[in-house]
Amino acid sequence: MTEEKRVFTRSQAAQARLHELVPGGAHTNARGSDQYPEAMTPIITRGQGARVWDVDDNWFVEYGMGLKAVTLGHAYEPVVQRVSEAAAAGVNFSRPSVWELEAAERFLQMVPTADMVKFAKNGSDVTTAAIKLARAATGRDLVAVCRTQPFFSVDDWFMATSAMPTGIPQAVRDLTVSFVFNDIDSLRTLLAAHPGRIAAVVMEAATGTVEPAPGYLEEVRALADDDGFVLVFDEMITGMRWSAAGAQSVYGVTPDLSTWGKALGNGFSVSALAGKRSLMELGGLNTDEARVFLLSNTHGAETTGLAAYLAVADAYAERDVVGIMQAQGEKLRAALTNAVAAAGVSDHIAIFGRPSALVFGTKDHEGQPSQAFRTLFIQELLRHGVLGQSLVISAAHTDDDIAVTTDAVAAASAVYADAIAAGTTDGYLEGRPVAPAIREFAAPRRLEV
Ligand SMILES: Cc1ncc(COP(=O)(O)O)c(C=O)c1O
């Protein structure tokens, strides 16, 4: 089955047209054509479970699953059904709808460490809202972000720290400072350097590849209590992937605020800011303080996203979605590690991370991380029916999907081994290598690391 020949003619034409019409040729940088081999940029027509189809009618087992937003699988029937019912009842009214009440009740049952919740549409918006509440509550101006974690928001307070700060005034850049994960002294030093000025510390409690060291999160919590900054956990990825109650429940450390999105709606647009009543009420009516304009948007409570969330919450209550992802991820890791070893490239291709959020690492013949070899691996996977920049799984990945992936990784590893022996991807890789999605310059000549 994996030997079918895949052509990308229509995708190439559609991608070229997208580049003419849309800056970057995609609506998210991480989905851009620069993240894929030059002649293999599938434009998707539909998805079902763990598989997607493109305009050339190629099928692929997909990984990454909508930037980790899809944990139940594409077109998951109970979610589609609930969303369709909501859509048929009208989606946007002049007063709150029953979906808002039901979703809030459900979320706060699911995340008992939070007192209140406010829904929105994008993860960035709720994380930015957490910063605003923190600044209002503390009267401080600086934000401390964890610089060894990749991403928190499209907004200026975070992008100022990234490789793409263009368009952000220096005055704004100066308001964000950073620290290192799992290094409590780096946070202590930062607090000492800016006494009484840090309003919020924003971090993920864990990432797919780095777990918190024993006691680290507790120490961060104690620093927050001592110093008075607001501790914000970004649960965008960990929420619904580590646990439906978030990483805060897995590690037993409660932040002041937490921010959610991605898998809350199995791909539908819904995000959430949750946390302590004393903070959240600053954005409400039950306060004597000056009011914070908190997450007030035309589409904030549009009902299909909330309906999707309710169906997702049901699915997580009915079966152990996280447990399934963990189990299938373990199987995937074991099978792929064997396939890589059989091709003799274990020193060059690594499969690692939390089973529900696996990634692959690619090194060249000298053992250095290599974008060219990464691209070659992605190219060969695409040829053999696997689409992915990672191995992030969903609960819809079946044993058959894992078998297809294992065959594809075996085939890709064989080509990779030849390129390693040759000491180059020349003659194996078609086109230019991929490049980091967040980089200062677009030009390919600046891409290779
Ligand atoms: C950890 C984390 N936080 C926040 C965001 C921003 O979420 P959104 O893209 O929904 O604005 C992302 C997006 O990738 C993320 O990975």
Side-chain angles (χ1 to χ4, degrees):
M1 196 153 74
T2 57
E3 272 134 41
E4 343 171 338
K5 177 132 181 63
R6 290 178 165 79
V7 295
F8 295 86
T9 322
R10 289 194 187 127
S11 278
Q12 287 302 94
Q15 182 62 75
R17 187 75 181 124
L18 271 168
H19 276 296
E20 283 167 10
L21 303 178
V22 178
H27 285 81
T28 322
N29 289 348
R31 294 184 168 102
S33 59
D34 57 348
Q35 303 304 297
Y36 286 83
E38 208 163 356
M40 294 181 172
T41 53
I43 303 296
I44 305 299
T45 52
R46 69 191 169 94
Q48 183 68 55
R51 304 220 178 177
V52 293
W53 283 259
D54 69 11
V55 285
D56 291 287
D57 215 24
N58 301 310
W59 61 264
F60 304 94
V61 175
E62 193 194 21
Y63 290 92
M65 303 305 288
L67 311 181
K68 307 190 180 79
V70 177
T71 53
L72 296 168
H74 297 298
Y76 186 72
E77 219 282 316
V79 175
V80 174
Q81 166 100 22
R82 198 78 168 257
V83 167
S84 305
E85 284 165 14
V91 299
N92 212 326
F93 310 105
S94 301
R95 284 278 302 144
S97 72
V98 289
W99 283 273
E100 285 171 63
L101 177 58
E102 207 184 327
E105 301 260 27
R106 202 62 197 272
F107 183 92
L108 293 169
Q109 280 164 11
M110 195 174 80
V111 185
T113 38
D115 304 325
M116 296 185 90
V117 62
K118 190 157 189 182
F119 292 104
K121 284 294 173 198
N122 289 295
S124 297
D125 297 343
V126 289
T127 306
T128 296
I131 301 302
K132 196 170 184 188
L133 277 186
R135 284 181 164 145
T138 59
R140 305 175 180 184
D141 55 357
L142 297 185
V143 175
V145 298
C146 182
R147 69 170 170 273
T148 44
Q149 294 178 337
F151 199 78
F152 297 108
S153 175
V154 299
D155 292 317
D156 287 356
W157 64 266
F158 171 69
M159 291 312 296
T161 70
S162 76
M164 288 176 81
T166 306
I168 303 174
Q170 190 60 45
V172 175
R173 299 185 195 191
D174 291 344
L175 292 176
T176 303
V177 292
S178 67
F179 63 97
V180 172
F181 189 71
N182 267 347
D183 178 353
I184 197 67
D185 285 338
S186 114
L187 185 54
R188 277 207 192 100
T189 306
L190 197 64
L191 291 167
H194 306 284
R197 282 197 63 195
I198 295 182
V201 164
V202 183
M203 62 192 293
E204 295 178 270
T207 61
T209 50
V210 186
E211 286 288 315
Y216 173 70
L217 296 175
E218 288 81 352
E219 283 182 304
V220 175
R221 178 67 267 175
L223 279 185
D225 294 338
D226 193 39
D227 175 86
F229 66 76
V230 172
L231 178 58
V232 181
F233 280 176
D234 178 327
E235 295 265 19
M236 225 59 67
I237 294 169
T238 50
M240 318 301 283
R241 204 166 269 284
W242 268 234
S243 159
Q248 54 197 285
S249 78
V250 172
Y251 303 111
V253 173
T254 303
D256 301 306
L257 295 171
S258 56
T259 59
W260 300 65
K262 295 208 188 259
L264 275 190
N266 200 46
F268 282 90
S269 177
V270 55
S271 63
L273 170 68
K276 286 189 176 152
R277 182 175 300 279
S278 56
L279 292 168
M280 297 288 282
E281 279 288 16
L282 294 175
L285 293 172
N286 197 12
T287 179
D288 295 327
E289 305 291 326
R291 297 171 68 203
V292 174
F293 190 85
L294 186 69
L295 294 170
S296 176
N297 294 102
T298 305
H299 292 113
E302 176 276 324
T303 59
T304 61
L306 297 172
Y309 164 65
L310 288 166
V312 168
D314 280 351
Y316 275 67
E318 278 156 20
R319 61 201 179 102
D320 182 7
V321 177
V322 171
I324 294 167
M325 286 191 285
Q326 287 281 118
Q328 292 302 87
E330 285 287 7
K331 274 192 214 164
L332 183 69
R333 187 208 325 248
L336 302 194
T337 302
N338 283 341
V340 168
V345 283
S346 299
D347 290 343
H348 304 277
I349 301 174
I351 314 289
F352 61 103
R354 197 176 179 88
S356 63
L358 288 177
V359 291
F360 52 80
T362 47
K363 290 184 175 165
D364 66 12
H365 53 291
E366 289 170 340
Q368 296 304 312
S370 164
Q371 297 281 32
F373 274 88
R374 174 179 168 81
T375 316
L376 177 63
F377 192 55
I378 294 174
Q379 168 187 293
E380 295 307 311
L381 291 182
L382 281 164
R383 280 204 172 121
H384 293 90
V386 171
L387 185 155
Q389 298 149 264
S390 71
L391 292 163
V392 173
I393 205 166
S394 73
H397 282 74
T398 61
D399 289 348
D400 187 37
D401 295 321
I402 291 174
V404 168
T405 311
T406 308
D407 288 348
V409 166
S413 300
V415 176
Y416 201 104
D418 290 346
I420 289 289
T424 176
T425 56
D426 290 354
Y428 298 94
L429 176 61
E430 291 173 21
R432 50 95 192 104
V434 298
I438 301 180
R439 64 183 188 277
E440 189 170 15
F441 295 101
R445 67 180 178 283
R446 297 183 189 256
L447 304 190
E448 189 50 315
V449 289

